[in-house]
Amino acid sequence: MDDVWIKGRNVVLRNVKKDDLKLLWSLKYGEENPEWKKWDAPYYPHELIDFNTYIDKEEKHRNYDEKMGVYSELIMEKDHQIIGSIVYYWEHEPSRWLEIGIIIFETNYWNGGYGTEAIKLFITYLFENIEIERVGLTTWSGNERMMAVALKVGMQLEGRMRKCRYFDGYYYDSIRMGILREEWESLQKINN
């Protein structure tokens, strides 16, 4: 398996290395109530795990999809500092229904365009390396920034399940967004 190094104007996406695991564990599980969790499906509990459990989980999960020949998780760096993570997962692999998710752990990198650039780079990576016709993203109506980023990169609202996410005394909608390969390719021609 080859290393991945995708350089944008402001961020670099690269595969996770063994040396990154301690820091990634700390960013994901080092705090009981991290700020990023308020936006990343906060209706699911944030369960802290120790480092050894995390390593076991990572080894079972294996972020390299040998069948597809791609990494399912890439870390996002700014100036050689890990600021986030972007992943794909199969909603239903036999029908090639693929979804992505992104977390920027460091709050000082929110609202700076880093997530937008990372999603663009990652969608291109996926369409270039996997035989799929759509990339999807699921969020919740409380995460207005994520919905705005999805629209900014060219995704369309494909579904809204109303008031199915109860959190902090309120009901929120589940939001499905996506972009088709031909839509992505058309946007790339316009932007280049």
Side-chain angles (χ1 to χ4, degrees):
M1 78 187 87
D2 294 329
D3 285 342
V4 171
W5 179 270
I6 305 168
K7 186 168 177 20
R9 264 190 242 132
N10 297 301
V11 297
V12 169
L13 300 182
R14 68 169 176 81
N15 55 292
V16 177
K17 310 266 188 190
K18 190 173 184 172
D19 292 346
D20 300 320
L21 294 176
K22 192 77 167 179
L23 178 57
L24 282 174
W25 168 77
S26 176
L27 291 168
K28 292 178 181 181
Y29 302 106
E31 246 183 280
E32 192 169 330
N33 295 306
E35 189 68 22
W36 60 263
K37 185 60 180 154
K38 292 177 183 175
W39 307 103
D40 180 41
Y43 34 82
Y44 291 125
H46 182 58
E47 296 177 12
L48 299 180
I49 59 175
D50 63 54
F51 183 66
N52 290 330
T53 303
Y54 173 70
I55 294 299
D56 290 345
K57 182 179 162 185
E58 285 299 302
E59 285 178 4
K60 287 178 188 155
H61 169 66
R62 304 191 67 108
N63 71 6
Y64 183 76
D65 186 334
E66 292 183 17
K67 186 166 58 171
M68 295 294 161
V70 295
Y71 287 92
S72 60
E73 178 180 21
L74 297 177
I75 57 174
M76 186 185 335
E77 285 187 335
K78 172 70 176 162
D79 300 326
H80 305 286
Q81 177 187 349
I82 296 173
I83 64 168
S85 167
I86 190 162
V87 300
Y88 83 78
Y89 58 94
W90 293 107
E91 184 76 24
H92 186 250
E93 188 174 1
S95 64
R96 300 182 187 165
W97 179 353
L98 180 141
E99 297 276 313
I100 63 172
I102 184 170
I103 297 172
I104 297 180
F105 301 111
E106 303 291 338
T107 59
N108 53 322
Y109 291 101
W110 292 359
N111 301 316
Y114 305 109
T116 301
E117 183 178 57
I119 288 175
K120 287 179 180 178
L121 295 170
F122 197 54
I123 290 173
T124 298
Y125 171 72
L126 295 173
F127 279 137
E128 287 176 352
N129 291 286
I130 303 177
E131 191 178 329
I132 50 173
E133 288 302 311
R134 175 189 170 276
V135 171
L137 181 147
T138 300
T139 190
W140 60 298
S141 59
N143 194 345
E144 294 176 3
R145 288 188 310 239
M146 186 73 261
M147 293 183 296
V149 167
L151 289 171
K152 192 185 293 188
V153 302
M155 290 185 160
Q156 296 179 27
L157 177 65
E158 296 177 333
R160 175 184 291 267
M161 282 63 76
R162 297 175 298 155
K163 294 187 176 184
C164 64
R165 297 290 187 199
Y166 185 74
F167 173 67
D168 220 10
Y170 296 96
Y171 286 96
Y172 295 91
D173 300 346
S174 180
I175 306 295
R176 293 256 182 188
M177 303 185 82
I179 191 162
L180 302 178
R181 178 184 290 274
E182 63 261 23
E183 294 166 342
W184 186 253
E185 290 171 352
S186 179
L187 281 173
Q188 300 318 297
K189 288 177 186 170
I190 291 169
N191 294 328
N192 289 333

